[in-house]
Amino acid sequence: MADGDAAQVAHSFNKILAQPAKRSSRDVDESVKKLRRLILIEGIPSVADGTLRHRIWKIFLRVADLPVETFLDYVARGPCEVREKIRNDTFRTLATDRGFTDRVKEDMLIRLLDAFVWRNHDRQEYNQPCFTYVQGMNVLAAPFLYTMPSELEAFFCFAKFIEEVCPTYVQPTLEGVHHGLKLLDRCLKIVDPDLYAYLRSKNLSAELYAFPSVLTLCACTPPLDEVLRLWDFLLAFGVHLNVLCVIAQLLLIRDDVMRSSSPMRLLRTFPPLEAAPVIGIAVTLVRDLPPDLYEELVRHPYEFKA
């Protein structure tokens, strides 16, 4: 996107964001629809305005209140009961991305995750659904710490994201992740039966090649700037679409996979992420899915199985 075009798109986003604070829910919903449309058509031009992404993410997550004292209280409590488990993961979080490691230090990740565990320790007292640290949570926290201008904002956005957007993904059994992987196989069988059959002939299910991509909502696949563009889309339209985004990445290397006698060698590490074509393919795949399957896909990140 040229500088002039990016500035014009940034202006369009800012025009929507500049609406008066006190508005009806109908007006708010209309603004969200406009933001979604712009994200799908243009994408967020973060170079033209570095404040856009974090402001838009907060709107999609409906994060408005940022109680400083609450966060400081969690931080003041120090290490939570699973601190060692957290530290076993945080040191390798996006470790090969220099831009990330320059901006987000390990102690920031540890502090946020400690605070999140303390927050949910308190929620137990009120019989609310609660969480602890599980595999992959460090990577899910990383984009928030990188994008938000403060740890405070990153913490409350991350907490809202985990507790309301994808709670099944962070259960001790990773229930939602495994459900998502089964859905990936079912969707692939419909949208590309030949590719599905070839992978199955090699005893390859999504559990074997797509686990990291589903677990982290593709945040494990560099580069980070493309991950953020993909997350713009997922936060706007629903994280359930990540399953179709993983299929889109498969389709982009389909010919190589079908020619390979050992496709797992290719699938062990996906090529660098390119958000625009992945999103474009994912959107078209929605139309190919039966309504009942798509409905199950929509609900799986937040609805627990009976």
Side-chain angles (χ1 to χ4, degrees):
M1 188 183 296
D3 290 347
D5 293 337
Q8 184 59 46
V9 173
H11 175 73
S12 298
F13 275 109
N14 276 309
K15 189 175 179 181
I16 299 170
L17 294 171
Q19 298 295 323
K22 292 185 178 180
R23 291 179 290 161
S24 68
S25 58
R26 183 176 180 179
D27 288 339
V28 172
D29 289 343
E30 186 59 34
S31 293
V32 168
K33 287 180 182 177
K34 290 177 180 177
L35 288 173
R36 286 172 174 156
R37 193 177 303 120
L38 267 177
I39 283 171
L40 192 59
I41 296 171
E42 302 286 357
I44 298 176
S46 55
V47 174
D49 185 342
T51 73
L52 281 175
R53 177 166 282 125
H54 72 79
R55 291 155 64 202
I56 292 169
W57 283 19
K58 285 163 69 176
I59 288 173
F60 287 145
L61 291 167
R62 299 186 185 276
V63 171
D65 296 329
L66 299 167
V68 178
E69 292 302 322
T70 301
F71 176 62
L72 292 178
D73 173 64
Y74 297 145
V75 172
R77 298 184 200 182
C80 68
E81 67 266 22
V82 290
R83 162 64 77 83
E84 285 308 307
K85 188 175 181 181
I86 290 171
R87 291 196 64 184
N88 284 340
D89 291 340
T90 51
F91 76 93
R92 54 174 172 251
T93 305
L94 307 188
T96 60
D97 190 298
R98 181 65 182 271
F100 176 79
T101 56
D102 283 349
R103 185 183 301 187
V104 180
K105 304 305 179 185
E106 184 185 3
D107 63 335
M108 295 166 64
L109 262 174
I110 293 171
R111 194 157 45 241
L112 182 148
L113 294 168
D114 269 337
F116 179 74
V117 174
W118 282 122
R119 169 186 170 90
N120 280 274
H121 184 273
D122 289 356
R123 283 162 63 94
Q124 292 178 14
E125 299 176 9
Y126 301 99
N127 295 318
Q128 292 178 293
C130 55
F131 306 84
T132 187
Y133 179 79
V134 298
Q135 177 188 6
M137 204 177 270
N138 58 310
V139 182
L140 293 176
F144 292 106
L145 281 167
Y146 185 83
T147 298
M148 295 295 153
S150 70
E151 289 183 48
L152 175 73
E153 289 161 285
F155 171 76
F156 283 106
C157 287
F158 172 74
K160 189 74 171 285
F161 179 74
I162 293 297
E163 293 163 5
E164 296 186 15
V165 176
C166 57
T168 68
Y169 272 52
V170 291
Q171 297 305 300
T173 59
L174 302 180
E175 173 188 319
V177 176
H178 293 296
H179 191 181
L181 289 162
K182 289 181 174 63
L183 286 166
L184 196 158
D185 278 329
R186 289 166 61 191
C187 292
L188 181 61
K189 187 175 183 179
I190 290 170
V191 303
D192 195 331
D194 290 341
L195 178 57
Y196 171 81
Y198 183 68
L199 292 173
R200 294 302 295 175
S201 75
K202 301 295 184 179
N203 295 316
L204 290 178
S205 66
E207 284 274 356
L208 295 175
Y209 64 80
F211 179 81
S213 296
V214 173
L215 175 71
T216 67
L217 303 177
C218 290
C220 63
T221 305
L224 181 56
D225 60 341
E226 294 294 317
V227 171
L228 298 179
R229 292 188 181 99
L230 185 65
W231 275 41
D232 296 339
F233 168 71
L234 296 178
L235 289 173
F237 293 95
V239 298
H240 63 281
L241 290 167
N242 181 61
V243 169
L244 299 184
C245 289
V246 179
I247 291 177
Q249 291 174 77
L250 271 178
L251 296 180
L252 287 169
I253 57 171
R254 182 186 190 279
D255 291 346
D256 291 337
V257 171
M258 293 290 283
R259 283 197 297 265
S260 175
S261 59
S262 301
M264 189 60 191
R265 292 179 182 174
L266 293 172
L267 300 177
R268 191 170 287 114
T269 303
F270 278 4
L273 184 65
E274 294 182 71
V278 165
I279 291 168
I281 293 170
V283 169
T284 65
L285 294 179
V286 171
R287 298 176 299 198
D288 297 331
L289 300 180
D292 58 338
L293 177 57
Y294 184 69
E295 179 63 20
E296 187 178 348
L297 186 67
V298 169
R299 301 170 80 90
H300 88 277
Y302 61 85
E303 187 174 88
F304 293 89
K305 291 182 181 179

